[in-house]
Amino acid sequence: MSVDVEAYYRRYGPQVLRRCRFLLREEEQAVDAMHDVFVQLLRYQAALKDAGPSSLLHQIATRVCLNRLRGAKRRPEDRDDELVLKIAASGDTEARTAARGLLDRLFGRVPASSRDIAVLHLVDGMTLEETAREVGLSVSGVRKRLRALSAVLQELEAA
């Protein structure tokens, strides 16, 4: 059975748009990216199963937005954009690499759904209740997952 893209759009469209806004920081681009997410869903509709739609749409939205950002980095629209991208790209590469490695080790030790919970709550700013509703857990289940992530992170930092 294929997914009902129209129902997904009505139910998850606001979540996808929030994610796109967070990553792209520009309303017009975020709306375009959100539409691209659902176009991809339409394109592969027959191959998809109706399981874990929130996580699936979150991953698609993240990839679509990151691809847009990478594309903008390769071909800035004007000189001001190029300067902003240079400033954003500069920084402590070593610290960024270390943080990325720590996150890889952290998320390698926990279920993928815990990663989704962390992103929805800590990055996207959703409340515990909103996060619980999106991932299909109780609020106490979300708290338990976040505590477990915190414990693993403290263990990794101590090592």
Side-chain angles (χ1 to χ4, degrees), residues 51-71:
S54 177
S55 296
L56 173 67
L57 289 167
H58 188 270
Q59 289 176 350
I60 294 172
T62 299
R63 287 188 190 119
V64 165
C65 291
L66 291 177
N67 286 341
R68 283 175 171 259
L69 290 169
R70 285 183 201 113

Side-chain angles (χ1 to χ4, degrees), residues 21-37:
R21 281 179 181 144
F22 176 79
L23 292 170
L24 298 172
R25 308 262 187 231
E26 188 176 310
E27 184 68 19
E28 187 176 313
Q29 284 192 16
V31 171
D32 286 346
M34 177 194 67
H35 290 139
D36 287 349
V37 168

Side-chain angles (χ1 to χ4, degrees), residues 55 58-59 103-120 135 137 141-153 156:
S55 296
H58 188 270
Q59 289 176 350
L103 287 174
D104 287 343
R105 289 194 314 273
L106 171 66
F107 290 132
R109 291 181 164 195
V110 297
S113 58
S114 292
R115 178 192 64 222
D116 294 338
I117 289 169
V119 170
L120 290 171
V135 297
L137 291 174
V142 169
R143 277 193 192 107
K144 182 179 177 183
R145 294 279 185 95
L146 290 170
R147 276 194 302 269
L149 274 171
S150 181
V152 171
L153 182 59
L156 287 171

Side-chain angles (χ1 to χ4, degrees), residues 8-9 11 13-14 20 23 27 38 42 53 72 79 81-82 90 95 109 114 116 126 129 133 145-146 150:
Y8 278 16
Y9 185 83
R11 178 160 185 211
C20 294
L23 292 170
E27 184 68 19
F38 287 98
L42 276 169
R79 296 189 51 164
D81 286 347
E82 188 172 355
S90 70
R109 291 181 164 195
S114 292
D116 294 338
M126 294 177 95
E129 292 80 12
R133 192 171 36 252
R145 294 279 185 95
L146 290 170
S150 181

